[in-house]
Amino acid sequence: MDSLFTNKSSSSSTSCFLIILLVISLTTTTHASRCRDSCGSIPINYPFGIDDGCGSPHYRHMLVCSDYGKLQLRTPSGRYPVKTITYTDPHILLTDPFMWTCQDGDNFRPTRPFSLDTSTHFSLSSQNDYLFFNCSEDNVIIEPKPIFCERFPDRCDSSCDSSSYLCRHLPDCGSALHTSSCCSYYPKATESLRLMLKYCASYTSVYWRNTGSSPPYDQVPEYGIRVDFDIPVTTRCLQCQDMTKGGGTCGFDTVTQNFLCLCPKGNVTTFCKDHEISKHRKAVVIAGTVTGVSAAGAIGIGAGVWYLRKVRAKAPVTCGVQSNENRLF
């Protein structure tokens, strides 16, 4: 009898130890799971986040980071590779694999119109220019813009400029076109872009990159799409990021989308060094950061759960007083 009691007590003690170890492991892993601050070589700062609950909810699920460290922007027309993100002059530079490139020359591939959701805090930059190729002159007004605007000032925006600088000096490949026509037109909306592509063979986007030099060499044309974005500035986010107040990361509740300051020891609604509410902090639980769990940790947790199930079949796990409220399984 004593031997049986001893075995049960020993199994119970071992089970309690494994439960405590399991909880500590989960808690440690959860606290270590913070917002990733980069995807490949591209920094991810507020207002963006690639883990759910990070950054501003205005940009939730907009950026996707692949397992290979490739960043993409989601839009209604598809996913587009991100070249760079600039936060001082807030904009994202995208590439569109469907657009015309120098290598295409006079061979035009099927393309799709790029579009943005107008309900988001993204907008197409006015620094973009759009070049259209082999457009139907029966359906598109193709004329040198200065001359056309002098004759029809009220219809100036409707012409596709056939004498534009970029058509005469295609970036990186000035002589790529031999038999095809080119004109420059800035679409006011996605619908006008779709309409142009209905009557044109293909198109491409060129943005003017600031070089930091003195005019007129302060901008150079490059292929790509510049998308501007807003940075929502709130007092709570500034307090959260303040290093004197703990240097937290601005985030949000994934259910309510209310503001949260993400701190090393938990989430708070103010800032990390607000001692009055430190006892109410919750564990940092951010979807998409399960990669922070090591393989050894995952195996250890799985083995612990299996062992506990096995022990429970032989002897009750007490860990104090066993009741319906404190059962683990």
Side-chain angles (χ1 to χ4, degrees), residues 72-91:
Q72 293 180 314
L73 175 70
R74 278 194 180 112
T75 81
S77 54
R79 292 186 180 187
Y80 297 89
V82 176
K83 292 174 65 176
T84 58
I85 300 179
T86 302
Y87 297 92
T88 51
D89 174 21
H91 68 271

Side-chain angles (χ1 to χ4, degrees), residues 112-178:
R112 64 185 180 189
F114 176 82
S115 66
L116 284 174
D117 186 349
T118 55
S119 66
T120 66
H121 288 243
F122 287 120
S123 61
L124 278 175
S125 173
S126 59
Q127 295 186 36
N128 293 327
D129 276 315
Y130 297 86
L131 303 181
F132 293 84
F133 308 105
N134 272 10
C135 298
S136 168
E137 295 191 21
D138 295 332
N139 304 101
V140 178
I141 302 173
I142 304 175
E143 288 195 33
K145 203 173 190 68
I147 299 175
F148 181 81
C149 291
E150 286 179 7
R151 288 163 45 211
F152 307 101
D154 57 328
R155 298 171 58 194
C156 184
D157 289 341
S158 63
S159 71
C160 193
D161 186 4
S162 59
S163 64
S164 72
Y165 171 84
L166 291 175
C167 278
R168 291 181 288 110
H169 304 85
L170 289 169
D172 301 330
C173 53
S175 59
L177 298 177
H178 300 286

Side-chain angles (χ1 to χ4, degrees), residues 220-237:
V220 293
E222 292 185 4
Y223 294 105
I225 306 170
R226 171 172 165 147
V227 174
D228 295 336
F229 62 88
D230 299 326
I231 300 180
V233 179
T234 65
T235 301
R236 286 198 290 182
C237 182

Side-chain angles (χ1 to χ4, degrees), residues 226-264:
R226 171 172 165 147
V227 174
D228 295 336
F229 62 88
D230 299 326
I231 300 180
V233 179
T234 65
T235 301
R236 286 198 290 182
C237 182
L238 292 175
Q239 286 184 330
C240 172
Q241 294 177 322
D242 189 342
M243 296 305 295
T244 63
K245 295 181 181 295
T249 302
C250 298
F252 58 92
D253 188 300
T254 56
V255 177
T256 65
Q257 298 198 26
N258 292 331
F259 172 81
L260 284 178
C261 183
L262 311 180
C263 307

Side-chain angles (χ1 to χ4, degrees), residues 196-213:
M196 287 291 289
L197 285 176
K198 184 178 179 180
Y199 302 113
C200 301
S202 186
Y203 86 119
T204 193
S205 174
V206 177
Y207 71 93
W208 291 87
R209 179 175 63 84
N210 291 317
T211 63
S213 303

